[in-house]
Structure formats: C-alpha cells, structure tokens
C-alpha cells in the first residue's frame, strides 16, 4: 500500500501542464472544515462515478484509445510537450486500468512506429511493440505517460484521496457545478503532495473539470504557469463508461474555452482487446499494485513473475 500511495503521489504530481508547490485551492467552505465535509464530498464523487459508469471501466484490465493533439501557438514552439511529434499526428495510448503502467505508440509522422512505455515507474522504448525493450530515463516521456493515464482514470482514483471535502457549488457559464477538494498528506498545501478541485456537473454528475497543482514538471516553470485547469468532454463507450473524447488544458482557473495551451481528442476506445502482458515487457521489476484492487487482483498470475 505504501508503494501504491507513493506512485499515486508521483502521478498526482503529473496532472497538468505546470505545477505549483504552494497554490492553495481551498475555498472558504473547505477552510471551515465542517464535520460532514468529507462525507458530502465522497458522496458527490460516488454519484459521479455511478453516472459515468466507472464500475464498468474498473472491470477491465487494459484499455486503449487513439489520441490527436492540437498545440496552440505559441505554445507549440516551446519545449513543453512531453510527446514531441504528437501535434496533429495520431498516437495510440494503452493503459493498465487504475494503475500507472502505460504505453504510447506513434502511428503517424516522423516517429511512426516508435513505442514509449512506463512500467513500475521505469521508462522504456521500442522500435515497435514486438521489438527489443530498451530501458530509458526520460523525464518528459515518463511525465507524459503518467499524466494522460491519470487524467483518463481520474474519476476512478479520486475515491482513494486521503483528504476529501465538499467545497460547495459554483455556476460557470450558466452551468451549476458541485465542487470537491481532494489531496494527500494534509488538508492544507504541502510540498510532497498536490491538490485538486474537482468540478462535477450538477445535472449530469459527470466530472467536467479539475483545477490542479503539481510539485514537479520535467522542466522549470515560472510561478505564473504553475496552476492549470483540465476540461473534459465525455462520450459513452461500448462498455457503458463515459470516457473523455476531448480534453483541454488551460493555465490558471477555469476560463474561456478559447483560452487554452493545448487540447487533444480521444477516440476508438477498445477494452481488453490485447493481452495485458504488452504493458509489462520488463522482467524483474517490482509491481506497485493496482489501486483499484484491495483483494487479490486478477492480474496476480501475470504480475507475480
């Protein structure tokens, strides 16, 4: 469990484009620390997961989707892209559900055929999915894989937050939202763990937005760029889970949709269409566990090697 929480803290530190160690997302309601704040917050998360069909996703072992990124100028010309070559080129993500083990394959462009992966926080690369695995130490690729995996799995992992507090309601652009503050380590900001303010649509109960802070990024960033908002547009998949089909990253608090750094689409979701072993090509690594399973995992036979 200790290793699982360590992994979770690293991934939470990978949630957005930039990060800040001291940004305080708590609003007045959270600061009041009402006795029922945790219960109300967890109820909002649970209702959202029911509405989004997250139980169906939790039953899968591996899912994948094709992504296509659109980097807005001038951001496209800055060294902020963890997956260089993804601008307007299709890539294919493969995620071990509820973990931080994942893989990306470049389907188009100059990097076509290249594979990058993250297994038990060890990065690796391949010239194809069947080629020899070469361990790497690439902070940007590891950051990117953990980031995009976490963003997709965020509703599943939110209940595992150590601190959860209902943060009231807000209306943005005519839409009402229920807000939930989640973090680890301590309710107040700390240097080890990061914070999220989750925005659940009051009508659909979907997780539409998340304000996020991070402690780490793969390159230094000025303070003005250390806090971001992630916006999700969701569609129902063949298993009934509503997963992102469009994700938009903005700097700072939720703002106009035209004000963004980059966005990306997710399409052609498949579930358990490949063997889970494809995401575990390196023998001998410790397995940090799947945060979705507290009892023996269906992966135990594969991952005990």
């Amino acid at each position: 469990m200790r290793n699982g929480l360590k992994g979770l803290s690293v991934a939470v530190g990978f949630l957005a484009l930039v990060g800040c160690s001291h940004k305080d997302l708590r609003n007045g309601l959270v600061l009041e620390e009402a006795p029922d704040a945790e219960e109300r917050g967890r109820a909002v998360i649970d209702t959202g997961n029911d509405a989004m069909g997250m139980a169906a996703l939790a039953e899968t072992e591996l899912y994948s989707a094709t992504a296509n990124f659109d980097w807005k100028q001038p951001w496209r010309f800055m060294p902020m892209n963890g997956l260089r070559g993804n601008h307007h080129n299709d890539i294919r993500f493969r995620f071990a559900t509820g973990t931080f083990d994942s893989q990306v394959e470049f389907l188009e462009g100059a990097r076509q055929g290249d594979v990058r992966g993250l297994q038990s926080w060890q990065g690796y690369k391949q010239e194809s999915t069947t080629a020899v695995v070469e361990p790497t130490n690439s902070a940007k690729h590891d950051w990117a894989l953990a980031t995009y995996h976490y963003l997709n799995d965020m509703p599943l992992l939110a209940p595992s937050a150590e601190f959860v507090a209902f943060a009231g309601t807000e209306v943005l652009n005519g839409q009402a939202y229920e807000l939930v503050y989640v973090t680890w380590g301590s309710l107040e900001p700390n240097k080890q763990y990061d914070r999220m303010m989750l925005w659940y649509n009051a009508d659909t109960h979907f997780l539409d937005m998340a304000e996020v802070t991070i402690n780490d990024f793969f390159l230094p960033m000025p303070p003005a760029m250390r806090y971001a908002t992630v916006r999700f547009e969701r569609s129902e998949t063949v298993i009934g889970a509503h997963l992102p089909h469009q994700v938009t990253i903005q700097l700072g608090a939720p703002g106009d949709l035209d004000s963004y750094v980059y966005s990306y689409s997710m399409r052609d979701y498949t579930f358990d269409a490949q063997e889970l072993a494809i995401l575990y090509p390196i023998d001998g690594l410790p397995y940090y566990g799947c945060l979705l399973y507290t009892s023996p995992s269906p992966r135990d036979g594969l991952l005990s090697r």
Side-chain angles (χ1 to χ4, degrees):
M1 184 63 180
R2 183 181 181 89
N3 284 333
L5 289 176
K6 178 182 177 182
L8 179 60
S9 70
V10 174
V12 171
F14 286 160
L15 280 180
L17 181 65
V18 292
C20 174
S21 297
H22 306 292
K23 175 70 178 179
D24 194 347
L25 294 182
R26 294 175 297 170
N27 59 18
L29 192 60
V30 176
L31 290 170
E32 289 177 9
E33 298 189 31
D36 64 345
E38 179 176 0
E39 181 181 359
R40 293 180 67 185
R42 292 192 181 277
V44 172
I45 292 174
D46 290 345
T47 299
N49 280 352
D50 287 344
M52 289 181 283
M54 289 296 106
L57 181 62
E59 289 297 318
T60 69
E61 292 189 337
L62 180 154
Y63 72 101
S64 63
T66 297
N68 193 287
F69 282 67
D70 176 32
W71 283 79
K72 193 173 184 179
Q73 295 188 24
W75 306 104
R76 181 156 56 98
F77 302 104
M78 298 181 182
M80 301 166 65
N81 185 354
L83 297 174
R84 298 292 293 181
N86 64 5
H87 179 66
H88 290 176
N89 288 320
D90 283 353
I91 60 177
R92 187 76 179 175
F93 284 119
R94 302 180 183 94
F95 300 138
T97 311
T99 74
F100 302 108
D101 299 321
S102 57
Q103 192 179 86
V104 63
E105 180 180 3
F106 289 81
L107 303 180
E108 297 179 322
R111 299 186 62 182
Q112 183 174 355
D114 286 355
V115 174
R116 292 281 181 163
L118 186 65
Q119 176 186 338
S120 300
W121 303 107
Q122 171 62 60
Y124 63 88
K125 66 180 180 179
Q126 298 172 275
E127 293 184 358
S128 71
T129 55
T130 58
V132 174
V133 173
E134 179 182 343
T136 61
N137 185 23
S138 172
K140 68 178 183 179
H141 288 112
D142 296 350
W143 171 87
L145 285 166
T147 296
Y148 302 125
H149 191 177
Y150 191 93
L151 292 181
N152 254 54
D153 281 9
M154 185 183 288
L156 280 180
L157 301 180
S160 67
E162 184 179 1
F163 295 94
V164 175
F166 181 69
T169 60
E170 294 281 351
V171 175
L172 182 66
N173 297 327
Q175 176 60 55
Y177 295 91
E178 295 180 296
L179 275 57
V180 181
Y181 175 78
V182 300
T183 190
W184 291 260
S186 62
L187 196 63
E188 63 275 5
N190 62 77
K191 294 183 178 180
Q192 185 176 4
Y193 298 96
D194 297 290
R195 296 154 300 288
M196 297 185 290
M197 185 67 82
L198 306 179
W199 292 59
Y200 287 87
N201 188 300
D203 297 321
T204 65
H205 304 292
F206 290 1
L207 178 60
D208 282 359
M209 290 186 290
E211 294 177 77
V212 296
T213 67
I214 64 173
N215 291 318
D216 299 301
F217 188 56
F218 62 84
L219 51 79
M221 288 292 177
M225 299 171 62
R226 295 178 179 177
Y227 157 49
T229 294
V230 184
R231 290 177 175 265
F232 303 97
E233 297 176 48
R234 300 180 180 275
S235 295
E236 186 174 7
T237 61
V238 294
I239 62 170
H242 290 78
L243 297 180
H245 72 261
Q246 189 73 29
V247 182
T248 302
I249 310 295
Q250 301 176 308
L251 290 180
D256 191 298
L257 272 178
D258 290 334
S259 176
Y260 66 93
V261 176
Y262 67 95
S263 65
Y264 60 95
S265 62
M266 298 282 282
R267 70 179 196 274
D268 301 331
Y269 281 96
T270 64
F271 303 90
D272 293 327
Q274 294 174 286
E275 294 294 328
L276 185 62
I278 195 173
L279 297 184
Y280 296 91
I282 305 176
D283 290 335
L285 290 182
Y287 178 56
Y288 289 128
C290 176
L291 297 178
L292 295 179
Y293 299 108
T294 55
S295 58
S297 167
R299 309 162 194 234
D300 287 347
L302 167 68
L303 300 174
S304 61
R305 59 192 175 123

